[in-house]
Amino acid sequence: MDQGLEAAFKYLERLLYGDAKRPGLTIYDLERLVGYPARGEGPLAYTLPRNQALSGVQAVRFYYYPKDPKLQLIVEIEDQEGRKHLRHFRWNGSAWEVPEGRLGDLKVTEESPGPIKVGEDHFLGFPREEALELAQEVRRGEALGAKYLLCPRCSTRIFYAPSVRPEGIACPRCGNATLLFKTFSGLDLPKDPLEALAEEQRALRKALEELMAYLKRKLGP
């Protein structure tokens, strides 16, 4: 077992839940750390300062989602090999708890999820249940603000978690390494085929009406 990683998890557990010497970190403490609301509505990131307990890992980062009632805090521990270990938490009004379906057990485990394909999109850095949930939000146009990479060659979208460094990612479909950084706005959803056909028919009908009006003006009754 990686002793540095184990020490980081124990430090994080004491920090969030507290011990006999000090109370746990509250959501109000977290908001001061990340600079909410002065820095915007998030997600907001904060890297814990280095200390002896964290000397065995590269970094410990907090990602705060102030507008998400289901998932408010993602903690990322990056070990010496660059592998990332994620934990998810929600504030219940008095303490941190684990949202249903998320991982919150503060034990040393390996977290290295690869891209997950849902429909035509790919999701990187998300546990499978979160990828499926985000895919549904994307389909409904509700995942506003989600970050993704767009391949200009084959139009593949790769949605990535806050813990993922998007630099250097290649398209999983065609291998293109030159991807465009995008933010989901809900406006780039593919149109329903029947609705697209109806729009074409309305446009054609309008064009015919304008043509008939033009001919009447030129040729008379």
Side-chain angles (χ1 to χ4, degrees), residues 87-106:
R87 295 297 180 271
H88 311 82
F89 300 95
R90 176 179 57 198
W91 182 254
N92 65 12
S94 59
W96 295 103
E97 63 180 13
V98 179
E100 184 178 355
R102 264 72 173 194
L103 183 63
D105 187 8
L106 293 174

Side-chain angles (χ1 to χ4, degrees), residues 114-187:
I116 298 173
K117 188 174 186 295
V118 184
E120 297 301 317
D121 294 324
H122 293 76
F123 298 83
L124 184 60
F126 297 96
R128 183 163 186 79
E129 65 274 7
E130 288 186 33
L132 294 174
E133 182 178 331
L134 180 57
Q136 290 295 322
E137 293 176 354
V138 170
R139 185 181 62 81
R140 297 192 300 265
E142 298 174 355
L144 303 182
K147 303 294 184 182
Y148 68 95
L149 300 170
L150 175 67
C151 178
R153 183 181 299 172
C154 66
S155 299
T156 294
R157 297 186 299 189
I158 305 102
F159 289 86
Y160 57 91
S163 60
V164 172
R165 295 174 182 171
E167 296 80 5
I169 294 176
C171 175
R173 178 181 295 175
C174 68
N176 177 30
T178 305
L179 306 180
L180 305 177
F181 288 82
K182 297 284 187 177
T183 300
F184 187 78
S185 64
L187 301 178

Side-chain angles (χ1 to χ4, degrees), residues 195-220:
E195 179 59 28
L197 179 60
E199 286 188 8
E200 292 179 5
Q201 291 175 340
R202 287 193 292 267
L204 179 59
R205 187 181 302 112
K206 182 178 180 181
L208 289 175
E209 291 173 352
E210 292 176 349
L211 177 60
M212 291 297 295
Y214 172 80
L215 291 176
K216 286 182 179 179
R217 289 196 302 271
K218 289 296 184 180
L219 303 177

